[in-house]
Amino acid sequence: MEQTNQTPAVQMTELEQALTAENEKLIAQVEELTAQNETLTKTVARLQSSADKSDTYLTQLVAMKNDFESYKRRMKFNGDQAKAEGVASVVTKLIDICDNFELASKHLDGDNLKAFQMIQQQFMQTLANFGVLPMDVSGKDFDCMTMEALSQMDCGEENKGKVVQVYKNGYLMGDKVLRYAQVIVGA
């Protein structure tokens, strides 16, 4: 083995210098890694902030989509309702013409009556195309939900509470009563 001619104090100084140099390198690396860690931490924070904003925007977008779908359904429903109410309004005015047809048919006979009945039938078919149908209440139990009692008439025990005469026909459009049947009820 080779012997070093240096004294232990000199060897220590060289060792201290080598260790100091190594320590300084490590300190520089730690400082560099700390700087990189801070940069990465800031980048992660920015990414997290962007992700949070993205989630917020997505949530808002989903809510807006749901609101818009609800709006479309509501507008369609309102449009359908307005259409039905408009048809019901016009048809209600036409129902009075049906009463006039019935009155006029009582004063006609022969060919005039047949021609008149054809026109009346065509008119009733047009109303039926709009979903309007006359109520069949004659001889049935009185129902205050579809009929209006004008008076009572003594027609025997078997007709008590039943419709014995129809003064004006009632009309339905689907389940909606357009005009209540005006009737005379047995007492």
Side-chain angles (χ1 to χ4, degrees), residues 12-26:
M12 249 344 206
T13 305
E14 285 179 8
L15 185 57
E16 284 177 356
Q17 288 174 350
L19 286 174
T20 301
E22 186 64 29
N23 192 25
E24 287 174 4
K25 280 185 193 175
L26 289 174

Side-chain angles (χ1 to χ4, degrees), residues 39-52:
T39 303
L40 288 175
T41 302
K42 289 177 184 175
T43 303
V44 166
R46 278 195 321 266
L47 288 174
Q48 185 61 44
S49 174
S50 294
D52 291 345

